[in-house]
Amino acid sequence: MTLGLNLIAYQGTLPAFASQPAAALPGHAVVGRVSLGRNAWLGAGAVIRADGHFVRIGDDLHMGRGATIHIAHEVYPTLVGARVSIGADAVVHACTVGNDVVVERGSVILDGAKVGDGAVVEAGSIVYPRSTLEPGMLYAGRPAKLLRALGLHEVQSRAELQRARNEACDVRWTCQPIPTGAAPDSFVAGTCDLSGSVHLAEGASVWFGCRLDGREGPISIGRLCNVQDNSVLRAGSLGMSLGDQTTVGHNVQLVDCSVGSRCLVGIGSSIAPGTRIDDDTFVAGGSVTEPGQHLTGGRVWGGDPARPIGEMNEAKRTAISNIAIVYESYARALHASVLG
């Protein structure tokens, strides 16, 4: 099933495809400086974004439902080899991935990591920043650790299985990007699905593929807060608030919780009902909270379940502030592209 391509220019540059994709399912989005090889398969809600840097991908990419490929602004591009299979809800972020790699469902590969040819990252694993994964090896865990060597036949079998799983996923994707209330300079990407009561303050942004459910209680997104691609937010009866200058990373799940100002909730994290995250809190990528957990401010939290692993410092505070500024600039550029 191949549909029309959803290609979006960034600062005047459109993505370049070597051939028509084998599939481009509803809700997908490809943005900016993307070079994509032949015969790509893009699942429903799949996102490839090259705004603050470039993305180069080889032939025969197979990308599952709600998966995300992105960059690190002016720091790391993303380079993906040929015949790479990426599962549903996985994130490949600002890293280098070799040929014939399999990234299974819900896994996250973080900034500066290098994944060798024929490596397999098992479902739900987190590859930490600047890690090196050796060719032809199986990795699993949070952080991902080497389990064993793989034969060529097993790598091929796991790739075929991952592709079959991608193709078996639901092809439907609702795009309803209309908030209840929004400041004039806020931004909601066109492949989002917002339901119920969702309000955006000045400079706030909600990115491609996000699903926000404010039917049971309102969702309030603060000034310069950004909710990144394919994240899912579901409010409870008391509502959900995200503070000013807070970043919710790609493919994060927030359920019936609250997040303060100047926080970062890292890529692939899962925040359980009743969780309270104080102002000035850094939640590392792939973290998982327990129901009702309180993450106190001024700390770095990580793990499953999340626990304090460090203290906030000036570098992390500056990084959080810079992300808010960068995402406001991304939103302005995309507004200009649409209007222009």
Side-chain angles (χ1 to χ4, degrees):
M1 180 180 183
T2 303
L3 304 178
L5 289 174
N6 184 22
L7 306 184
I8 300 163
Y10 179 77
Q11 295 184 336
T13 301
L14 274 168
F17 282 49
S19 74
Q20 181 74 9
L25 301 185
H28 77 278
V30 186
V31 182
R33 292 178 284 171
V34 176
S35 299
L36 184 58
R38 298 180 181 277
N39 302 318
W41 198 99
L42 305 179
V47 176
I48 306 174
R49 271 181 58 201
D51 27 36
H53 221 308
F54 64 85
V55 173
R56 293 177 184 164
I57 303 173
D59 294 343
D60 298 307
L61 172 72
H62 209 281
M63 195 172 177
R65 178 183 174 88
T68 303
I69 296 175
H70 195 219
I71 51 75
H73 183 77
E74 295 182 350
V75 179
Y76 294 115
T78 298
L79 306 175
V80 177
R83 301 173 300 279
V84 171
S85 305
I86 301 173
D89 301 312
V91 182
V92 174
H93 195 268
C95 58
T96 299
V97 175
N99 299 323
D100 302 298
V101 169
V102 180
V103 182
E104 293 184 347
R105 181 185 184 99
S107 293
V108 175
I109 303 177
L110 291 170
D111 301 26
K114 296 181 180 180
V115 182
D117 295 350
V120 174
V121 181
E122 281 204 336
S125 299
I126 308 292
V127 177
Y128 276 21
R130 296 171 293 282
S131 299
T132 298
L133 275 56
E134 297 298 327
M137 299 291 177
L138 176 64
Y139 288 84
R142 299 183 172 215
K145 295 182 179 180
L146 173 62
L147 295 186
R148 59 181 174 85
L150 297 167
L152 178 59
H153 177 72
E154 185 176 358
V155 174
Q156 292 173 339
S157 296
R158 293 185 80 131
E160 290 171 2
L161 179 58
Q162 184 56 67
R163 292 177 178 227
R165 288 170 174 161
N166 287 350
E167 294 177 18
C169 282
D170 191 347
V171 301
R172 295 171 295 178
W173 193 272
T174 302
C175 298
Q176 184 175 300
I178 310 299
T180 308
D185 62 347
S186 62
F187 172 79
V188 179
T191 60
C192 293
D193 181 24
L194 276 54
S195 57
S197 179
V198 179
H199 297 262
L200 280 72
E202 296 82 1
S205 55
V206 180
W207 291 82
F208 297 94
C210 288
R211 282 86 78 205
L212 276 62
D213 185 349
R215 290 174 296 180
E216 187 173 340
I219 297 175
S220 174
I221 300 173
R223 186 178 62 84
L224 294 180
C225 176
N226 59 97
V227 180
Q228 297 179 7
D229 313 87
N230 281 318
S231 286
V232 177
L233 280 61
R234 188 170 74 248
S237 59
L238 298 179
M240 176 185 295
S241 62
L242 307 180
D244 296 345
Q245 295 185 302
T246 279
T247 290
V248 175
H250 308 285
N251 292 72
V252 166
Q253 294 192 31
L254 300 178
V255 180
D256 191 15
C257 59
S258 63
V259 184
S261 296
R262 302 174 301 280
C263 295
L264 183 143
V265 182
I267 295 170
S269 294
S270 181
I271 307 303
T275 300
R276 293 181 296 128
I277 301 177
D278 288 348
D279 294 348
D280 302 298
T281 301
F282 192 110
V283 183
S287 297
V288 179
T289 69
E290 297 180 317
Q293 191 171 359
H294 180 201
L295 275 55
T296 53
R299 289 182 169 184
V300 179
W301 294 74
D304 179 5
R307 61 192 184 280
I309 58 174
E311 300 295 322
M312 286 285 281
N313 56 30
E314 196 58 34
K316 286 184 171 58
R317 295 177 194 275
T318 299
I320 290 172
S321 176
N322 287 343
I323 293 170
I325 294 167
V326 164
Y327 266 78
E328 184 190 27
S329 73
Y330 288 164
R332 285 200 309 269
L334 290 181
H335 268 308
S337 177
V338 171
L339 295 175

